[in-house]
Amino acid sequence: MVGEEAQPDDNKVQLFADAAKLAERYIRHERHGRVFPDAQAQEVLKGLDDWSLESPRPADRVLADLAEIGEAAAVRSTGGRYLGFVTGGTEPTALAASLLAAAWDQNGALPAMSPMAAAIDAIAARWVVELLGLPTESVAVFCGGASVANLIAVVAARDSLLMKQGWSVAQAGLRGSPPVSVITSTEAHSSVLKALRVAGWGTAEVHIVETDALGRLRVDAIPHVPSPALIVAQMGNVNTGHCDPLADLAAWAEANYSPDEYWLHVDGAFGLWSAASATQRHHATGAELADSWATDAHKWLNTPYDSGIVIGRNGLDLRRAMSATAAYLPGQSPEAVGGWSDDLREPMNLGLQMSQAVRAIPVFAELAVLGSAGIAELIDRCCRHVSELAARLEQGGVEIPAPPGLNQALARFGTDEVTNAVVTATQDGGVCWAGATTWQGHRAMRLSVCDASTTEADIERSAEAILAAWRSVR
Ligand SMILES: *Cc1c(COP(=O)(O)O)cnc(C)c1O
């Protein structure tokens, strides 16, 4: 006891309990009703126009009203039958731990701000590296999502490659720097091209390599590209789920460049997690040969948003690019410190943000509960579900234009027009939700099983709903 104990803030205690109750009510119903709110359910959103800064409402009222809006209009992406984009649900422990983390409200910028946050962050980061089978010296850093992770990695690659050419970006900037080539594939995720653009490469400057029938970069089609070169590979094509042949790509790079002349980055937003499963790990062969990796916790790991992870084989490369204390000052540069040590694990100096949530907390809690066996099971289960879904559709006469990879599948219903109509009818039906995509020039329904709560019954119901939607438009 330190001196006089103040009373806890009753209002805060009450509101937190209320919010937990209201969240509980939502969770109890998240698997019922429509997956995507129809126009009538979305009517509730119009009421938001009546809210104003001039007429404040009591807090309990605001929470109750918000809860009603959520119950009517939240997309049930946590309810087992949301198959759109690549959208994770919430693993129960991760969700619950995020509530605790919200109550703690720790600032994860620096260990000095919260030794507890730093301790949890360091262990969660080590577990992630271990689960993904990456080199043990690699440094994982939690960030807002894979887009942010790609950006951090691309900047770290750029600055490292240029440093090896004797050019400090921190000191001399980019104007007048030696050129760095970039190689990626026609199937690179839009967030990769965005990261490159933000880091100074126009899309026209990027060497874009052809892909094969599964959307994988064709190593035999890589043109001769001058060094130094940044190669951005993909694990987990958002349409087919398949991964670039990383071992071949790494061998190609090794044969064509000296070690200081290239950097291999892997955008593995969801696909990198295949490395955590013995039965899916073959998709990840060679992943450990890269220099950096971007992945998400909020997709396949099913932590709440927003939670991504950037991993550097050498933490000093992240620190050189992201240090907020001018990295070029004497004694501060990665070159000056000699080698990575855990004292350098300062999140604000390894990523884009200064103040930040301790995103490691839900990750730590989930991994502590599931362990490596539980994570492997989560990965395997989603892969099984998507294969089962594709098989059921195929039995119903649907064309599956590419063999499903990992947790993704495509489905095609004859013509583009019919395919679009089936997607719309499926969405309108409300049993499940799937989006549309264009795959190799043709429209297709895109199916992703990324929610930890999806069951076999969900897959059965979803397949039936999609087949019924097809019948309804024929
Ligand atoms: C989702 C995704 C991203 C972007 O991740 P965010 O977490 O949404 O920023 C990047 N690459 C791939 C392959 C993805 O699937």
Side-chain angles (χ1 to χ4, degrees), residues 287-376:
E288 72 286 356
L289 301 171
D291 300 289
S292 60
W293 304 263
T295 192
D296 269 319
H298 57 215
K299 284 182 177 171
W300 216 348
L301 204 58
N302 279 257
T303 65
Y305 292 105
D306 47 13
S307 186
I309 308 168
V310 62
I311 306 161
R313 177 186 286 271
N314 183 347
L316 291 179
D317 290 322
L318 299 179
R319 190 155 166 124
R320 178 192 299 107
M322 292 293 140
S323 183
T325 50
Y328 52 87
L329 294 177
Q332 297 275 351
S333 76
E335 284 63 37
V337 298
W340 175 262
S341 76
D342 284 337
D343 310 343
L344 297 171
R345 193 173 171 79
E346 295 168 326
M348 65 169 266
N349 290 318
L350 296 168
L352 288 167
Q353 284 180 271
M354 183 171 276
S355 301
Q356 55 190 287
V358 186
R359 298 184 173 97
I361 293 169
V363 175
F364 175 86
E366 177 178 343
L367 298 186
V369 167
L370 295 182
S372 39
I375 298 299

Side-chain angles (χ1 to χ4, degrees), residues 3 63 66 149 159 164 176 199 203 209 231 239 242-243 253 261 287-288 353 362 375 396 402 414 469:
L63 281 184
L66 271 178
D159 291 4
K164 287 170 185 157
T203 301
V209 182
I231 306 161
N239 287 311
H242 288 280
C243 301
E261 287 178 337
E288 72 286 356
Q353 284 180 271
I375 298 299

Side-chain angles (χ1 to χ4, degrees), residues 27-69:
I27 291 168
R28 283 190 190 284
H29 292 99
E30 69 189 349
R31 299 182 68 85
H32 304 303
R34 295 180 52 86
V35 168
F36 197 96
D38 59 13
Q40 194 198 332
Q42 289 186 51
E43 280 292 310
V44 70
L45 302 179
K46 297 209 174 113
L48 289 168
D49 292 338
D50 302 333
W51 295 48
S52 102
L53 291 173
E54 274 65 51
S55 43
R57 305 167 183 219
D60 57 345
R61 203 54 254 152
V62 170
L63 281 184
D65 290 349
L66 271 178
E68 247 171 61
I69 291 168

Side-chain angles (χ1 to χ4, degrees), residues 86 145-148 150 189 191 234 236 238 267 269-270 296 298-299:
V86 185
S147 301
V148 179
N150 278 327
H189 193 265
S191 67
Q234 176 170 264
V238 292
D267 170 17
F270 64 96
D296 269 319
H298 57 215
K299 284 182 177 171

Side-chain angles (χ1 to χ4, degrees), residues 274-471:
S274 62
S277 148
T279 54
Q280 297 298 330
R281 197 169 291 146
H282 59 281
H283 288 276
T285 306
E288 72 286 356
L289 301 171
D291 300 289
S292 60
W293 304 263
T295 192
D296 269 319
H298 57 215
K299 284 182 177 171
W300 216 348
L301 204 58
N302 279 257
T303 65
Y305 292 105
D306 47 13
S307 186
I309 308 168
V310 62
I311 306 161
R313 177 186 286 271
N314 183 347
L316 291 179
D317 290 322
L318 299 179
R319 190 155 166 124
R320 178 192 299 107
M322 292 293 140
S323 183
T325 50
Y328 52 87
L329 294 177
Q332 297 275 351
S333 76
E335 284 63 37
V337 298
W340 175 262
S341 76
D342 284 337
D343 310 343
L344 297 171
R345 193 173 171 79
E346 295 168 326
M348 65 169 266
N349 290 318
L350 296 168
L352 288 167
Q353 284 180 271
M354 183 171 276
S355 301
Q356 55 190 287
V358 186
R359 298 184 173 97
I361 293 169
V363 175
F364 175 86
E366 177 178 343
L367 298 186
V369 167
L370 295 182
S372 39
I375 298 299
E377 204 279 321
L378 165 64
I379 299 306
D380 290 347
R381 181 155 35 97
C382 292
C383 296
R384 250 192 343 267
H385 284 330
V386 97
S387 299
E388 173 70 18
L389 180 56
R392 281 175 179 272
L393 294 179
E394 205 165 20
Q395 278 155 24
V398 178
E399 181 197 345
I400 304 299
L406 300 178
N407 58 343
Q408 306 291 120
L410 294 173
R412 199 168 140 73
F413 305 82
T415 64
D416 284 357
E417 290 67 31
V418 175
T419 299
N420 286 335
V422 176
V423 170
T424 304
T426 300
Q427 293 174 355
D428 289 348
V431 171
C432 65
W433 198 96
T437 186
T438 299
W439 173 245
Q440 300 194 334
H442 300 291
R443 300 295 282 165
M445 176 184 274
R446 179 145 75 102
L447 300 158
S448 172
V449 181
C450 218
D451 179 352
S453 77
T454 300
T455 63
E456 266 171 50
D458 288 321
I459 293 301
E460 214 175 301
R461 276 188 71 191
S462 299
E464 278 165 17
I466 293 166
L467 290 170
W470 190 24
R471 281 194 297 276

